[in-house]
Amino acid sequence: MITKCFNPACQAPFDYRAGRLVRFSSKNQSSSEKEKHSSIEHFWLCGDCSSLYKFECKAGMPVKLIADEKVACREEPACMVTYA
């Protein structure tokens, strides 16, 4: 059960009405066909953290929190990247 923001530096209590709630599905790759199953995990970032960070999910790796590149880019005055 989610109780607080996924950002370890943040202690904001879980509020499904604010922030970003995501669901990741992974499949257990077992040798036996009977033992293969999917698992679903939920992660939440509070409103403040969701504007600065995003989740990174790669096969076989735990979910990580990374800085949102769009936010970092917008803070640099010489940035020429445009966003749709």
Side-chain angles (χ1 to χ4, degrees):
M1 175 180 269
I2 300 171
T3 58
K4 68 174 201 70
C5 182
F6 185 73
N7 181 357
C10 180
Q11 296 298 316
F14 176 62
D15 180 358
Y16 70 91
R17 298 166 293 184
R20 182 181 302 148
L21 179 64
V22 297
R23 176 178 63 185
F24 291 109
S25 176
S26 63
K27 291 188 179 189
N28 179 13
Q29 298 299 327
S30 177
S31 59
S32 169
E33 192 65 36
K34 290 181 181 179
E35 293 179 11
K36 289 185 180 182
H37 66 275
S38 295
S39 65
I40 297 175
E41 292 184 273
H42 294 85
F43 301 91
W44 176 74
L45 285 173
C46 70
D48 291 338
C49 291
S50 67
S51 66
L52 300 173
Y53 301 101
K54 63 183 179 180
F55 295 104
E56 179 180 67
C57 183
K58 294 182 180 179
M61 302 294 292
V63 173
K64 291 181 5 181
L65 188 64
I66 60 173
D68 190 338
E69 295 169 4
K70 293 178 184 177
V71 173
C73 183
R74 288 184 183 147
E75 292 173 357
E76 296 191 18
C79 181
M80 301 305 287
V81 177
T82 57
Y83 299 95

